[in-house]
Amino acid sequence: MRNAGGERRLWRKHKRTLLFGSAFLTLIFTVFAVFCIGSTVSGGARSLKAAAYAGVEKARRFPKDVRVCDVEVGGMEKNAAFKLIREEEERRIPAFYADTADGTEVFYPFEIGFTDNLNEVFEKAKKGGSYQTVMRCYLKGTGKERLIAAVQKPKKNAAVTFGKKGFSYEKEENGVGVDAEKLSAALEKALCSLTLSEHGYTFPRFSAAAFTYVEKAEFTVKDAVKTTRKLASFSTRFSRAAAGRSKNIALAASALNGSVIAAGQTLSFNKTVGERTGARGYYEAKIIQSGEFISGVGGGVCQVSTTLFNAALLSGLNVTERRGHSLSVSYVPPSRDAMVSSASDLKIQNPFSFPVYLQMRCEGETLTATFYGTKTNKTYSLCSEVTGKIPPPAAEEKRLSAADSAQFPEGTERVTIRAEREGIKSVLYRITYVNGKPTAKKRLFSDSYSPVRGIVGIIAKKVEETPKNSE
């Protein structure tokens, strides 16, 4: 029993020891845990402090009692202060005046921008200090280009106007050029010179005209007159007695008058004159058709084309399309005529590097075609040569009626109704002169004009009448 009791006592003692050890271990563990947590918190605080020093910046402020541009910003946060200061800077901007030759160009404050050195002022600001920023103004958008455009003036060359009444000239005007580089530099300097006066802030008056120069016109009236000198002219005569023919000549000449043939271009007679019809004012007159003179609408127009043809060749122009009449005409030598119809045109090409101007006038019974342009050292003449004759066929005999015969003197047996005429073969040459000396002779056209068959009228013999009361 004693042994059993001793074991119980030993167990109770051992149990107390275990409980005490467990409590002690719990205490030790708790202290260690608190220590660790404390260390962690302390380390986190040190980490945040290190992070702040590494660049995580706190709000920056102006020192106390600081004024910038007369705005009290002492102790204010930087961005808020900057906003107030720049509002004041913007209020200071006045209008900018730029004088030009034609007046004054005004740029209003809303058209002017600026930059400043406010960051520099902030960094050097000290407690109780008063500072002014340096403003650098500029014209917004295309303001500078607008000023240059206001100063510039394009030069204007003289101009030639030609019409049915002749020539008129528009005088040249010199232009105004701008040295854009120098103007830009001076403009920048003026916009950076904002000063305070008794009337407030102002820019210096800017003289844009000081950076201009004269741009002379390249083509003057004097030059224009030189481009409208007479090259050559040619005239033919017609009879006013043939009223329809003379009216047709005047109408076609008027359509051609005032024409301009540009360099390298071609004038078409038919396109310029238009269709010759009664509806367009043309009359009936003698025309040549199939080797015969007959009546037709537009008779006489070929004299206009012939006159034009000769004037063109004498002026040095090229004739690229032309056709002669079937019969020779009386108003020009052989091969110097030009027939036009709905199927035949006269085309004149300008080989020069300058335009030529055509004037056609009817004065009295004279039709004249004249070309104007820039004179050169060349002149021209035309030479018509007959190279052969074509004999006419035997004359046709035509018996006249008694009525037709009665108009001829008694005793006449034969009368010429149409005279016969030889046909002609001919060639046209153009001779070129340089400074008055012949240098070339060029064959241009060859023609063959039909002969005219004569017509002889046979007079009808008179029959003697027997008196009624004769015995």
Side-chain angles (χ1 to χ4, degrees), residues 7 12 163 167 274 279 395 408 415:
E7 289 176 356
R12 286 193 296 270
F167 290 100
F408 297 102
V415 294

Side-chain angles (χ1 to χ4, degrees), residues 54-84:
V56 180
E57 188 175 358
K58 294 190 296 182
R60 302 185 65 191
R61 299 176 180 275
F62 271 98
K64 291 183 179 181
D65 300 326
V66 170
R67 297 179 67 83
V68 179
C69 292
D70 301 326
V71 178
E72 177 61 57
V73 292
M76 287 185 66
E77 188 273 328
K78 176 183 176 182
N79 291 332
F82 275 25
K83 181 179 179 182
L84 289 178

Side-chain angles (χ1 to χ4, degrees), residues 151-258:
V151 176
Q152 280 181 325
K153 180 183 176 183
K155 60 189 175 184
K156 185 179 180 181
N157 288 327
V160 177
T161 302
F162 181 68
K164 295 188 180 299
K165 294 183 178 180
F167 290 100
S168 62
Y169 304 91
E170 186 176 353
K171 186 175 174 57
E172 76 279 1
E173 293 180 8
N174 290 332
V176 177
V178 179
D179 189 327
E181 186 175 344
K182 288 184 179 180
L183 182 143
S184 297
L187 178 64
E188 182 179 348
K189 183 178 179 180
L191 287 166
C192 291
S193 303
L194 190 62
T195 56
L196 178 62
S197 66
E198 59 181 0
H199 302 294
Y201 284 91
T202 59
F203 289 112
R205 193 92 179 187
F206 185 71
S207 176
F211 305 96
T212 63
Y213 56 89
V214 175
E215 282 191 332
K216 290 190 175 182
E218 298 166 349
F219 187 68
T220 66
V221 167
K222 186 176 180 180
D223 297 325
V225 170
K226 290 180 181 179
T227 67
T228 58
R229 291 180 175 171
K230 180 179 174 181
L231 300 179
S233 66
F234 186 77
S235 299
T236 58
R237 293 185 61 80
F238 60 93
S239 173
R240 289 276 184 188
R245 189 173 189 280
S246 61
K247 288 178 180 178
N248 292 340
I249 289 174
L251 190 59
S254 177
L256 289 162
N257 185 38

Side-chain angles (χ1 to χ4, degrees), residues 121-384:
V121 170
F122 178 78
E123 295 297 335
K124 72 178 183 181
K126 303 294 183 183
K127 180 180 179 181
S130 180
Y131 306 93
Q132 294 291 332
T133 58
V134 177
M135 295 175 62
R136 299 181 66 86
C137 296
Y138 59 87
L139 300 181
K140 292 180 180 178
T142 58
K144 183 172 74 173
E145 289 74 16
R146 180 183 125 199
L147 176 59
I148 292 176
V151 176
Q152 280 181 325
K153 180 183 176 183
K155 60 189 175 184
K156 185 179 180 181
N157 288 327
V160 177
T161 302
F162 181 68
K164 295 188 180 299
K165 294 183 178 180
F167 290 100
S168 62
Y169 304 91
E170 186 176 353
K171 186 175 174 57
E172 76 279 1
E173 293 180 8
N174 290 332
V176 177
V178 179
D179 189 327
E181 186 175 344
K182 288 184 179 180
L183 182 143
S184 297
L187 178 64
E188 182 179 348
K189 183 178 179 180
L191 287 166
C192 291
S193 303
L194 190 62
T195 56
L196 178 62
S197 66
E198 59 181 0
H199 302 294
Y201 284 91
T202 59
F203 289 112
R205 193 92 179 187
F206 185 71
S207 176
F211 305 96
T212 63
Y213 56 89
V214 175
E215 282 191 332
K216 290 190 175 182
E218 298 166 349
F219 187 68
T220 66
V221 167
K222 186 176 180 180
D223 297 325
V225 170
K226 290 180 181 179
T227 67
T228 58
R229 291 180 175 171
K230 180 179 174 181
L231 300 179
S233 66
F234 186 77
S235 299
T236 58
R237 293 185 61 80
F238 60 93
S239 173
R240 289 276 184 188
R245 189 173 189 280
S246 61
K247 288 178 180 178
N248 292 340
I249 289 174
L251 190 59
S254 177
L256 289 162
N257 185 38
S259 296
V260 180
I261 311 177
Q265 297 301 303
T266 298
L267 170 76
S268 164
F269 183 95
N270 282 345
K271 286 184 179 179
T272 306
V273 173
E275 192 176 1
R276 278 77 75 186
T277 64
R280 299 188 70 244
Y282 286 90
Y283 292 83
E284 284 202 3
K286 291 292 185 182
I287 62 172
I288 300 174
Q289 184 172 310
S290 301
E292 297 284 343
F293 284 94
I294 64 171
S295 181
V297 176
V301 170
C302 287
Q303 185 165 346
V304 179
S305 58
T306 293
T307 306
L308 175 62
F309 168 68
N310 281 266
L313 293 178
L314 291 170
S315 300
L317 305 179
N318 295 331
V319 175
T320 58
E321 186 176 330
R322 169 263 178 189
R323 182 180 174 186
H325 289 85
S326 58
L327 300 175
S328 60
V329 294
S330 60
Y331 45 85
V332 289
S335 289
R336 291 183 64 170
D337 61 315
M339 186 273 291
V340 290
S341 67
S342 59
S344 180
D345 198 4
L346 171 66
K347 292 184 178 178
I348 298 168
Q349 188 258 346
N350 177 10
F352 303 124
S353 60
F354 50 83
V356 294
Y357 308 90
L358 171 61
Q359 184 181 75
M360 292 206 76
R361 287 183 175 174
C362 287
E363 295 177 341
E365 296 184 335
T366 302
L367 171 66
T368 302
T370 306
F371 279 99
Y372 297 88
T374 303
K375 289 282 285 185
T376 67
N377 63 346
K378 292 182 179 181
T379 54
Y380 306 88
S381 68
L382 300 176
C383 177
S384 172

Side-chain angles (χ1 to χ4, degrees), residues 33-55:
V34 170
F35 176 75
C36 289
I37 291 171
S39 297
T40 301
V41 172
S42 176
R46 284 195 300 272
S47 297
L48 290 172
K49 188 174 182 180
Y53 282 112

